């Protein structure tokens, strides 16, 4: 199976409904992955829009991405950019975030909802 090149994966712009949920009245946390690639400037534009609406950003950024922490922007530095292997490094903290969020909510992480349906229904 041939996987698409990582530079062909589009950087999706947040939808209107997603952006509407980010408002100044509620500090909505927004997690983003910011690899230092051709789409970084576009991603920075999206990050500025989230900040303008009062969202709080948690950015997983490559060491050389030149994104700095500031008020409402928390940058977590990843190791140097490993090219096409970088997504493997970026997914680890996302998985840990999902796990700890589920634990904090009291969700049974060993029995996800609707897993049996999605796996067994053809």
């Amino acid at each position: 199976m041939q996987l698409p090149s990582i530079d062909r994966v589009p950087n999706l712009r947040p939808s209107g409904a997603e952006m509407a949920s980010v408002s100044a009245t509620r500090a909505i946390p927004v997690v983003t992955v910011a690899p230092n690639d051709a789409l970084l400037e576009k991603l920075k534009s999206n990050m500025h829009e989230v900040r303008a609406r009062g969202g709080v950003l948690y950015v997983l950024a490559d060491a050389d991405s030149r994104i700095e922490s500031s008020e409402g922007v928390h940058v977590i530095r990843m190791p140097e950019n490993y090219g096409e292997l970088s997504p493997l490094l970026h997914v680890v903290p996302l998985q840990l975030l999902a796990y700890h969020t589920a634990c904090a909510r009291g969700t049974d992480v060993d029995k996800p909802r609707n897993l049996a349906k999605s796996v067994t229904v053809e």
Side-chain angles (χ1 to χ4, degrees):
M1 177 168 82
Q2 181 72 23
L3 295 175
S5 172
I6 197 65
D7 60 344
R8 292 186 189 166
V9 177
N11 186 358
L12 300 177
R13 181 161 177 77
S15 71
E18 292 167 342
M19 286 307 294
S21 68
V22 178
S23 68
T25 58
R26 280 179 44 196
I28 300 290
V30 177
V31 178
T32 184
V33 177
N36 193 12
D37 62 8
L39 297 173
L40 183 61
E41 292 305 314
K42 192 178 209 181
L43 178 64
K44 285 181 180 179
S45 172
N46 292 342
M47 290 168 45
H48 287 293
E49 186 172 348
V50 168
R51 279 301 303 139
R53 292 173 179 256
V56 178
L57 283 163
Y58 293 90
V59 184
L60 298 171
D62 285 340
D64 56 351
S65 66
R66 295 186 309 268
I67 297 175
E68 301 300 325
S69 292
S70 62
E71 183 181 341
V73 180
H74 307 281
V75 178
I76 302 163
R77 294 279 170 211
M78 298 298 294
E80 62 187 85
N81 187 334
Y82 287 100
E84 292 187 7
L85 294 177
S86 286
L88 295 175
L89 294 176
H90 284 94
V91 77
V92 173
L94 294 174
Q95 288 288 333
L96 288 170
L97 174 65
Y99 171 79
H100 289 291
T101 301
C103 288
R105 293 182 63 201
T107 304
D108 186 355
V109 294
D110 293 323
K111 293 183 182 178
R113 278 182 24 179
N114 300 324
L115 179 64
K117 282 185 199 175
S118 64
V119 173
T120 59
V121 175
E122 292 181 13

